[in-house]
Amino acid sequence: MVRSKRNWDEDDVRINKSRQFGSSNKARARTKDRPDYANADTATIIEVDRGRVKCLIQTKTGKLIITAMKARELGKKSVVVGDLVSVVGDISGSDGSLARVVSVLPRKNSLTRTIDDHANDERVIVSNVDVMAIVISAANPDPKIGLVDRALAVAYDQGIKPIIIMTKKDLADGDEFLKIYQDLEITVFKIDKSSNLVTLKKELAGKITVLLGHSGVGKSTLVNNLLSTPQKNSIKSETKSTQQVTGAVNEVTGRGRHTTSGAIALPLSSTFDSDEFGWIIDTPGVRSFGIAHIKPSRVISAFPEFTEAISNCKKNCSHNESSCALNHWPGFNNQNLARLASLRRVLSLG
């Protein structure tokens, strides 16, 4: 007979108190019935900070910003800036009020990246955006083709309009670099700290724009110049500073310092009902932007002039083989071929 090394006694026995003292103290029985959120309000996420989020919501008295917590069942990384969500609870926006995000509505698009090109490690940065502003600097640090190409691939894949904003034009003209993208007919803005941004503001008015770029290219400075006036909460009328912290470029490595810790949406106008009202979503400077999750055929199909040719490609065509219909389509002219070559380079197909 095998004996235990420990001598057990009655103190080692655990008693379920709910059973010991009768049915009146029993734990509440679980139910399969789920809460009904049919009357939940819809809001837009403008900032995520751990378990709390800030939302823009339309009420009977106008638009206002509220604070909410995420329902536990949504998970830790279920909500990103730009998401449309259903909220319940206190949506007054008053001091100490706290609503609850109970569901995330379907996204029309999302800006995602994979870490070091691992397709299974896909991360959503923001969602439901209209414009992707790829911010590069003419110098210090020098513009990188890799980041621009990868960002364009994601933009075309998700149906987001890309534009290029080149900062620090006072240090270099950057024209040679920009020639690479002229066949794709992308709108380009060249600016520095003293530039008049009226034309750029008109381009972004009424849209949700995400800024994407390496650290040190001047994204935070650009945001500060775009946001000419402080924004106000429509309920309390308390001034909320939207000035972003700026950082310098390391002279040894040529890399910038992260000054934005997480994506945050900032209003372009101090008045929610203004015709020029729109959102700028500032994101942390990226050093890795993998696109292993992007399908080349989906990117190329975003260009209507290639749709008919692609329909004649073989199944699972990589669009980088001699039999690809894009290589032999009779309707192509020199401009079509130049745009196709640029797209293939963007996707590292050529």
Side-chain angles (χ1 to χ4, degrees):
M1 178 179 178
V2 179
R3 299 178 64 87
S4 172
K5 293 182 180 180
R6 177 178 175 182
N7 295 323
W8 297 87
D9 57 29
E10 62 273 14
D11 291 333
D12 294 304
V13 179
R14 294 182 180 179
I15 300 173
N16 188 323
K17 293 183 179 180
S18 64
R19 294 183 179 179
Q20 180 185 17
F21 298 107
S23 59
S24 62
N25 290 324
K26 285 185 178 180
R28 185 173 61 183
R30 293 185 178 182
T31 175
K32 293 182 179 179
D33 295 334
R34 304 301 299 164
D36 182 10
Y37 298 129
N39 295 323
D41 292 280
T42 300
T44 303
I45 300 294
I46 61 173
E47 185 177 353
V48 178
D49 184 11
R50 299 183 179 88
R52 299 289 175 92
V53 299
K54 289 185 178 180
C55 315
L56 179 71
I57 190 169
Q58 176 72 56
T59 67
K60 294 179 180 180
T61 58
K63 294 178 181 177
L64 60 100
I65 295 174
I66 64 172
T67 301
M69 62 180 293
K70 294 180 291 183
R72 181 178 299 178
E73 58 266 26
L74 293 181
K76 291 183 178 180
K77 298 181 180 180
S78 56
V79 177
V80 298
V81 172
D83 273 340
L84 292 175
V85 296
S86 296
V87 294
V88 298
D90 189 344
I91 61 170
S92 66
S94 57
D95 282 335
S97 64
L98 188 65
R100 186 158 65 102
V101 176
V102 294
S103 66
V104 180
L105 303 182
R107 296 164 174 162
K108 73 175 183 180
N109 58 43
S110 59
L111 174 59
T112 59
R113 67 185 179 107
T114 48
I115 307 304
D116 296 327
D117 277 337
H118 293 296
N120 294 329
D121 193 8
E122 184 178 349
R123 300 184 185 181
V124 180
I125 302 174
V126 298
S127 69
N128 300 319
V129 297
D130 304 307
V131 178
M132 178 194 292
I134 306 167
V135 185
I136 55 177
S137 55
N140 191 33
D142 293 332
K144 302 292 191 300
I145 294 176
L147 174 71
V148 178
D149 285 356
R150 288 164 180 249
L152 288 175
V154 174
Y156 293 139
D157 177 72
Q158 292 294 310
I160 303 170
K161 179 183 178 179
I163 65 173
I164 293 176
I165 301 177
M166 176 172 276
T167 63
K168 306 182 184 181
K169 71 172 186 177
D170 52 323
L171 301 182
D173 61 36
D175 290 340
E176 194 64 29
F177 179 88
L178 294 173
K179 283 181 181 179
I180 303 172
Y181 302 100
Q182 63 183 6
D183 291 324
L184 294 177
E185 299 176 355
I186 300 170
T187 302
V188 175
F189 295 89
K190 294 174 63 177
I191 63 172
D192 57 28
K193 290 182 179 179
S194 62
S195 294
N196 187 320
L197 301 181
V198 171
T199 304
L200 177 57
K201 285 183 177 180
K202 288 182 179 179
E203 176 74 22
L204 306 181
K207 302 181 180 72
I208 298 177
T209 302
V210 59
L211 302 183
L212 186 70
H214 283 306
S215 301
V217 298
K219 288 193 292 91
S220 294
T221 299
L222 171 62
V223 170
N224 290 340
N225 290 339
L226 284 170
L227 307 178
S228 56
T229 57
Q231 311 306 316
K232 294 182 180 180
N233 182 300
S234 60
I235 282 292
K236 297 185 295 180
S237 295
E238 293 181 355
T239 299
K240 176 186 176 184
S241 175
T242 58
Q243 292 293 298
Q244 297 291 79
V245 177
T246 60
V249 176
N250 187 304
E251 294 182 1
V252 177
T253 65
R255 291 183 175 181
R257 176 172 65 88
H258 290 297
T259 56
T260 303
S261 59
I264 180 173
L266 302 168
L268 275 174
S269 170
S270 59
T271 305
F272 287 140
D273 297 325
S274 167
D275 292 337
E276 296 183 356
F277 182 76
W279 289 98
I280 288 288
I281 302 178
D282 194 10
T283 61
V286 294
R287 290 177 181 166
S288 173
F289 196 82
I291 57 170
H293 59 293
I294 299 298
K295 293 182 178 179
S297 59
R298 201 161 59 190
V299 174
I300 295 179
S301 65
F303 289 75
E305 67 262 45
F306 302 138
T307 302
E308 188 175 0
I310 288 175
S311 66
N312 288 272
C313 287
K314 296 179 180 179
K315 186 178 181 180
N316 299 322
C317 177
S318 68
H319 306 301
N320 190 34
E321 49 203 60
S322 59
S323 61
C324 176
L326 289 166
N327 294 330
H328 311 287
W329 197 245
F332 283 177
N333 54 35
N334 290 336
Q335 183 179 6
N336 294 141
L337 294 174
R339 283 165 62 81
L340 177 59
S342 295
L343 277 173
R344 281 175 163 167
R345 194 208 68 257
V346 163
L347 291 167
S348 299
L349 293 174

